[in-house]
Amino acid sequence: MFKSLVDKMLANSKVYSELYLSHISIDSVVFGFHDDCLKVLLTRFEGEDNWALPGGYVQHEENIYDAAKRILQQRTGATNIFLKQFETFGKTNRSEGFFEGLPDDLWQKKRFISIGYYALIDFTTLSPEIDMFSDACSWHDSADLPGFSMDHKEIYDAALLQLRRDLNYKPVGYTLLPEKFTMPQLQRLYEVILGKELNRGNFYRKMMRYNILQKLEETRKGGAHKAANYYSFDKQRYEEALNNGFQESW
Amino acid sequence: MFKSLVDKMLANSKVYSELYLSHISIDSVVFGFHDDCLKVLLTRFEGEDNWALPGGYVQHEENIYDAAKRILQQRTGATNIFLKQFETFGKTNRSEGFFEGLPDDLWQKKRFISIGYYALIDFTTLSPEIDMFSDACSWHDSADLPGFSMDHKEIYDAALLQLRRDLNYKPVGYTLLPEKFTMPQLQRLYEVILGKELNRGNFYRKMMRYNILQKLEETRKGGAHKAANYYSFDKQRYEEALNNGFQESW
């Protein structure tokens, strides 16, 4: 590990041990949608080749959801974040090798069980910030991912699988799309999350059945095809669907 | 709290602090199926009126999944357990009031973040055992639940919701039904989990489409109706469906 990173970790060990609960961390998989691609926000520890999920710790008097939100706000400046816990990762060897050579009484080197959240963030409103331990924080295309630190690839894969499953009973898009969007844009968002093409007619019918869209008067002009209708989400119905779920299929 | 329970907690505080990770606990919602009813296994701390989920702690060198399995095996003697992590509970006030009056340096009184698992266990193979802190451990009908300790009702509700959702992409029944069963028995299992009646024809068609059942030669005789066919799960296809999921609906 880079010497300057080790020094900063050692210098913060005591403060962290007083500020945060031991053994518990939070890692978030932050998805964005841009240029018809699914993006993920990754950070890189100073001097490392591999990338990590933005993460942090839980304060003694802080709910875990609030901790996840605080950590992401500090990292991204974003306030409009959809955040969902999906799995907790607790294998004994999950950070194996990462802290090699560092003293055993370093607080950060203890065993940490990490609560995974996935986040959907409006790509355009966000300015990724590096923290004191990292030298980069940037968006990566989900179709072209770099190497990951520790067990973070496993956490990323689990988040994407959960997001795909959630598409079956939850609306997705409010924090990922601009306020008004066309049906092809919405379909493209679903396609990049699911990693497969969808039939246009089926997608349209299914989406309209969910009854969460408002068709706007305005159309998008230009291009070779006929003008495309703009839609926006009906915020109230969207929230209801988020809380109650779509009709289950059984 | 009952004096004898307090004494036992105090006596074990130091041993526990050495044996287990601080701040992390596991609580499991154990479902069984019997007499056409969905059952849940609950335990009761000595002298308490309310009931709790069977739970425990994580050893320093133990994966969290292994900890969940160990805790349940100690409690139930069962070895054929389907165990799935579904949510981690970390509100600051989740045990509020429970340890009132006990010394603040009691290890068990620290803040604990609890990893929730749900388990599906064959009702007939299981002999619930009380541990040193409880005076009862027994099955309760999900339609007639007692009062719960701490936030355990919230954990129970979340487990049932997750199990319902999982029915849409995972097979359920292998550890809940006897080895051979009739289609009406399988349908009744789905109905008590979902809390609603299902159409017989639709259920049959959907279940056959999943391709996880073997129709046996043997039929169940007796009763007013014509003999019902027995089925069993095709273990290999069942495992495949469990690992890969049924076709998602998008």
Side-chain angles (χ1 to χ4, degrees):
Chain A
M1 199 183 273
F2 210 56
K3 180 165 183 321
S4 127
L5 176 59
V6 172
D7 289 346
K8 278 184 275 192
M9 282 197 176
L10 290 170
N12 279 278
S13 178
K14 191 165 179 305
V15 178
Y16 276 30
S17 76
E18 284 161 10
L19 204 54
Y20 300 115
L21 290 176
S22 294
H23 304 301
I24 295 161
S25 60
I26 288 179
D27 285 301
S28 291
V29 180
V30 181
F31 293 109
F33 183 61
H34 191 64
D35 283 345
D36 279 1
C37 292
L38 186 68
K39 305 278 188 180
V40 60
L41 187 70
L42 298 175
T43 177
R44 196 177 56 194
F45 285 102
E46 199 180 348
E48 294 285 316
D49 290 328
N50 291 326
W51 293 73
L53 300 169
Y57 305 110
V58 182
Q59 294 168 6
H60 289 281
E61 297 295 331
E62 186 179 40
N63 294 331
I64 54 174
Y65 178 84
D66 297 333
K69 198 144 199 171
R70 169 183 55 77
I71 292 163
L72 277 193
Q73 283 178 346
Q74 286 170 351
R75 277 305 183 96
T76 65
T79 51
N80 186 19
I81 302 177
F82 173 82
L83 197 57
K84 198 202 161 193
Q85 192 201 112
F86 66 96
E87 189 178 338
T88 293
F89 298 83
K91 288 192 186 139
T92 53
N93 62 353
R94 47 179 303 270
S95 315
E96 206 163 54
F98 191 75
F99 295 99
E100 210 171 294
L102 273 69
D104 284 341
D105 65 348
L106 178 74
W107 184 82
Q108 298 94 320
K109 196 185 173 179
K110 282 176 193 267
R111 177 177 173 195
F112 277 86
I113 286 171
S114 193
I115 308 169
Y117 284 80
Y118 75 76
L120 307 176
I121 295 191
D122 180 0
F123 186 91
T124 57
T125 66
L126 187 144
S127 47
E129 286 177 33
I130 60 168
D131 69 2
M132 65 184 300
F133 302 109
S134 51
D135 61 15
C137 182
S138 58
W139 290 101
H140 295 256
D141 193 327
S142 64
D144 183 24
L145 292 170
F148 280 84
S149 292
M150 300 179 267
D151 64 344
H152 287 197
K153 179 62 163 61
E154 185 186 335
I155 299 178
Y156 168 82
D157 288 340
L160 184 56
L161 186 64
Q162 187 61 50
L163 175 58
R164 285 174 177 171
R165 286 185 176 150
D166 287 351
L167 282 191
N168 289 318
Y169 69 91
K170 267 189 189 173
V172 162
Y174 194 78
T175 52
L176 289 173
L177 288 168
E179 201 177 334
K180 56 186 186 185
F181 47 85
T182 64
M183 195 58 82
Q185 282 179 302
L186 184 59
Q187 180 174 341
R188 182 68 191 143
L189 171 63
Y190 273 68
E191 289 178 337
V192 296
I193 291 174
L194 293 171
K196 66 179 180 192
E197 288 186 20
L198 300 172
N199 175 281
R200 199 167 68 127
N202 289 347
F203 181 83
Y204 178 83
R205 276 186 295 277
K206 190 155 183 171
M207 197 47 77
M208 293 315 280
R209 224 166 32 230
Y210 285 162
N211 197 25
I212 52 171
L213 294 178
Q214 277 174 322
K215 192 173 181 173
L216 305 178
E217 293 293 322
E218 194 183 349
T219 56
R220 190 175 65 172
K221 285 162 188 113
H225 305 286
K226 79 176 171 76
N229 279 106
Y230 272 123
Y231 293 84
S232 69
F233 290 110
D234 180 316
K235 186 80 175 26
Q236 196 187 330
R237 293 208 194 112
Y238 190 96
E239 289 293 334
E240 279 168 17
L242 209 51
N243 292 327
N244 306 328
F246 295 134
Q247 197 59 37
E248 312 279 335
S249 77
W250 274 100
Chain B
M1 200 183 273
F2 209 57
K3 181 163 184 320
S4 127
L5 176 59
V6 172
D7 288 345
K8 278 183 277 192
M9 282 196 174
L10 291 169
N12 279 278
S13 178
K14 190 162 180 306
V15 178
Y16 276 30
S17 76
E18 284 161 11
L19 202 56
Y20 300 115
L21 290 175
S22 294
H23 304 301
I24 295 160
S25 59
I26 288 179
D27 284 300
S28 291
V29 180
V30 181
F31 292 109
F33 183 60
H34 191 63
D35 282 346
D36 279 2
C37 292
L38 187 68
K39 305 279 188 180
V40 59
L41 188 69
L42 298 175
T43 177
R44 196 176 57 194
F45 285 102
E46 199 181 346
E48 294 285 314
D49 289 329
N50 290 327
W51 293 73
L53 300 169
Y57 306 110
V58 182
Q59 293 168 7
H60 288 281
E61 296 297 332
E62 185 179 42
N63 294 331
I64 54 175
Y65 178 83
D66 297 331
K69 200 145 196 171
R70 170 184 54 78
I71 292 163
L72 276 192
Q73 283 178 345
Q74 286 170 351
R75 278 304 183 96
T76 65
T79 50
N80 186 18
I81 302 177
F82 173 82
L83 197 57
K84 198 201 161 194
Q85 191 201 112
F86 66 97
E87 189 178 338
T88 293
F89 298 83
K91 289 190 187 143
T92 53
N93 63 353
R94 48 180 302 272
S95 316
E96 205 163 54
F98 190 76
F99 294 98
E100 211 172 293
L102 273 67
D104 283 343
D105 64 351
L106 179 74
W107 184 82
Q108 297 94 321
K109 197 184 172 178
K110 283 175 192 266
R111 177 178 173 196
F112 277 86
I113 286 172
S114 194
I115 308 169
Y117 285 80
Y118 75 76
L120 308 176
I121 294 190
D122 180 359
F123 187 90
T124 55
T125 64
L126 187 145
S127 47
E129 285 177 32
I130 60 169
D131 69 2
M132 65 183 300
F133 302 109
S134 51
D135 60 14
C137 183
S138 59
W139 290 100
H140 294 256
D141 193 329
S142 65
D144 183 24
L145 292 170
F148 280 84
S149 291
M150 301 178 266
D151 65 343
H152 287 196
K153 180 62 163 64
E154 185 186 334
I155 299 178
Y156 169 82
D157 288 340
L160 184 56
L161 186 63
Q162 188 61 50
L163 175 58
R164 285 175 178 170
R165 284 182 177 153
D166 287 350
L167 281 192
N168 288 319
Y169 69 90
K170 267 189 191 175
V172 164
Y174 194 77
T175 52
L176 288 173
L177 288 168
E179 202 178 331
K180 57 186 186 185
F181 47 85
T182 65
M183 196 58 85
Q185 281 179 303
L186 184 59
Q187 181 173 340
R188 182 66 192 146
L189 171 63
Y190 273 68
E191 288 178 336
V192 296
I193 291 174
L194 293 169
K196 66 179 181 191
E197 289 186 18
L198 301 172
N199 176 280
R200 200 168 68 127
N202 290 346
F203 181 82
Y204 177 83
R205 276 186 294 278
K206 190 155 183 171
M207 197 47 74
M208 293 315 282
R209 225 168 31 234
Y210 285 161
N211 197 26
I212 52 171
L213 293 178
Q214 278 175 320
K215 192 173 181 172
L216 306 179
E217 292 293 322
E218 194 184 348
T219 55
R220 190 175 66 171
K221 285 162 188 114
H225 305 287
K226 78 177 172 81
N229 279 107
Y230 271 123
Y231 294 84
S232 68
F233 291 110
D234 180 316
K235 185 80 177 24
Q236 195 187 331
R237 294 209 194 112
Y238 189 98
E239 288 294 333
E240 278 169 20
L242 207 52
N243 292 328
N244 306 329
F246 295 135
Q247 197 57 37
E248 312 278 335
S249 78
W250 274 100

